[in-house]
Amino acid sequence: NAGVTQTPKFRILKIGQSMTLQCTQDMNHNYMYWYRQDPGMGLKLIYYSVGAGITDKGEVPNGYNVSRSTTEDFPLRLELAAPSQTSVYFCASSRPPGQDTDTQYFGPGTRLTVL
Amino acid sequence: RKEVEQDPGPFNVPEGATVAFNCTYSNSASQSFFWYRQDCRKEPKLLMSVYSSGNEDGRFTAQLNRASQYISLLIRDSKLSDSATYLCVVRPFTGGGNKLTFGTGTQLKVEL
């Protein structure tokens, strides 16, 4: 199992450009998440999904969009990139909440810089 | 008040030392508690869950005090490889997409 994979690893965008961060998991997890981590800050939830076709906003959704057409994939779209979106983005997946089965597994992250 | 608060450190300790990290959380209805480890420029990984009765995994011991809304992590016989940032993580409630709230982390540096 590759676990959770993310592409690209690094990206530099100009202000106003758009891009899609890709996330794929091969653990057949229903739940998937997107977080951002700014220096010295905790991870903040952007969007999450509890299954194909179902997405919901997290704590910091503004400036982002997501879709979940398959169980495996959960892409994050940035429209009109802004310097405030410079961050490290982590995708994660898990089983539904329950005892000892709901650990969130994280991908390696995408480091995004907006100039 | 932050939902999850941790001392950012760094904690600089010699190899073999015992070190303890503390964390407080604000939501008394929180359901589940975890410690994650994050190496520099890497993704977070689950270190251990924290149970009301306390639990141990090798050199690591986690404790939960619901009355004081306080979680701790004790590392005995520190190794150089323990150098990392330790994230205190709380699940505020059941349902709602298994959302987690992360502390900002405590940095540990184990030195020769």
Side-chain angles (χ1 to χ4, degrees):
Chain A
N1 282 354
V4 181
T5 56
Q6 293 182 236
T7 56
K9 286 186 170 52
F10 305 93
R11 184 73 185 268
I12 298 174
L13 282 182
K14 293 182 180 178
I15 293 172
Q17 287 185 320
S18 301
M19 77 166 293
T20 299
L21 282 66
Q22 301 291 347
C23 176
T24 299
Q25 54 91 10
D26 63 1
M27 296 176 281
N28 201 33
H29 287 165
N30 286 331
Y31 284 42
M32 295 187 75
Y33 317 82
W34 274 106
Y35 294 91
R36 59 177 288 172
Q37 186 176 33
D38 300 324
M41 304 292 287
L43 279 77
K44 301 292 185 186
L45 183 65
I46 305 171
Y47 270 95
Y48 68 99
S49 168
V50 300
I54 306 169
T55 63
D56 207 347
K57 295 178 181 178
E59 189 180 351
V60 290
N62 291 345
Y64 307 94
N65 277 301
V66 293
S67 59
R68 183 93 183 272
S69 56
T70 66
T71 299
E72 294 78 20
D73 300 306
F74 191 38
L76 178 71
R77 178 84 177 160
L78 277 72
E79 306 281 2
L80 299 175
S84 60
Q85 293 178 305
T86 294
S87 190
V88 181
Y89 292 84
F90 289 104
C91 179
S93 72
S94 77
R95 294 189 180 93
Q99 293 189 8
D100 299 328
T101 63
D102 57 3
T103 301
Q104 289 193 18
Y105 295 89
F106 285 79
T110 293
R111 295 183 177 276
L112 176 67
T113 302
V114 182
L115 299 173
Chain B
R1 183 182 175 188
K2 288 183 182 177
E3 290 185 68
V4 179
E5 290 205 66
Q6 297 181 248
D7 180 343
F11 284 60
N12 297 308
V13 303
E15 213 176 6
T18 295
V19 61
F21 306 138
N22 302 320
C23 165
T24 57
Y25 61 95
S26 61
N27 185 346
S28 60
S30 295
Q31 297 290 324
S32 304
F33 309 89
F34 311 91
W35 284 101
Y36 273 71
R37 170 189 169 132
Q38 186 172 25
D39 293 304
C40 187
R41 302 177 74 83
K42 298 287 189 181
E43 71 272 24
K45 292 182 179 178
L46 179 67
L47 178 66
M48 57 197 305
S49 301
V50 186
Y51 303 118
S52 297
S53 55
N55 48 301
E56 188 174 307
D57 183 3
R59 298 181 292 109
F60 298 85
T61 301
Q63 296 278 355
L64 167 63
N65 184 323
R66 284 190 182 270
S68 301
Q69 295 178 210
Y70 170 99
I71 305 159
S72 66
L73 177 67
L74 183 77
I75 304 176
R76 290 181 299 278
D77 189 23
S78 299
K79 311 291 185 192
L80 293 175
S81 57
D82 293 334
S83 297
T85 297
Y86 291 83
L87 307 175
C88 178
V89 183
V90 174
R91 181 160 59 217
F93 48 82
T94 56
N98 191 20
K99 286 185 268 190
L100 301 177
T101 301
F102 287 77
T104 54
T106 297
Q107 188 179 12
L108 172 65
K109 295 182 180 179
V110 181
E111 302 162 333
L112 285 171

